[in-house]
Amino acid sequence: MLRDGKYAAWFRTPRGQGTGLVELSDGRISGRDSFFTYGGSYRVDQQRFTAILTVKRHTEGNPSVFGPDEVEVDLSGLCAGAMATCSGAAREVPDIKFEATLIYSQEDAVAGDAKCAVVKLNADTLPKVLDSRSRPRPPFGPARPPAS
């Protein structure tokens, strides 16, 4: 079942690929990547889902994986555990197939009463002399001829 929460998204078309962050909440989709924002809606029926996703450019940069900077994408897919896969096409360029994989982000909550261990440094336990592991070395050795 596709559940509400944050997802890492990987998507591709024959024109390119990209990654972004998506949040699903009560049938609504929101998200973004470095150049585009996403919005829309989705419906879930057991392991299957459908979605309508609107993609709009927010920053100049890389070209869209669709071509146009604003598209509406019809998607259908399956979810299994923490992953969902879907495919579809943008209404503006229906001949370009779109595929996406969503991976659920399980954010671990930090316990409020957790105690952190404090480690004290005892300088007496540090080496007094430089050995072969701690001597400074040049960053690159001399160039070697290629192997025959």
Side-chain angles (χ1 to χ4, degrees), residues 8-33:
W10 173 70
F11 51 88
R12 69 180 179 169
T13 71
R15 302 175 125 240
Q17 62 181 339
T19 59
L21 299 173
V22 175
E23 185 163 359
L24 305 179
S25 179
D26 296 323
R28 304 294 310 156
I29 303 169
S30 61
R32 68 182 299 140
D33 61 32

Side-chain angles (χ1 to χ4, degrees), residues 61-79:
N62 290 348
S64 164
V65 296
F66 295 103
D69 283 346
E70 291 189 19
V71 294
E72 189 168 278
V73 186
D74 292 314
L75 298 168
S76 61
L78 295 170
C79 45

Side-chain angles (χ1 to χ4, degrees), residues 48-60:
R48 298 187 151 306
F49 67 94
T50 58
I52 298 174
L53 183 68
T54 302
V55 179
K56 295 182 181 182
R57 180 177 288 280
H58 66 75
T59 301
E60 289 303 314

Side-chain angles (χ1 to χ4, degrees), residues 51-119:
I52 298 174
L53 183 68
T54 302
V55 179
K56 295 182 181 182
R57 180 177 288 280
H58 66 75
T59 301
E60 289 303 314
N62 290 348
S64 164
V65 296
F66 295 103
D69 283 346
E70 291 189 19
V71 294
E72 189 168 278
V73 186
D74 292 314
L75 298 168
S76 61
L78 295 170
C79 45
M83 290 185 62
T85 57
C86 58
S87 62
R91 295 175 181 174
E92 294 77 5
V93 283
D95 56 324
I96 296 180
K97 184 178 179 184
F98 176 83
E99 297 175 329
T101 300
L102 303 176
I103 303 167
Y104 185 72
S105 174
Q106 297 183 5
E107 298 174 356
D108 294 330
V110 177
D113 62 345
K115 304 224 181 226
C116 295
V118 176
V119 178

Side-chain angles (χ1 to χ4, degrees), residues 121-128:
L121 174 65
N122 182 352
D124 294 333
T125 62
L126 296 175
K128 306 290 185 260

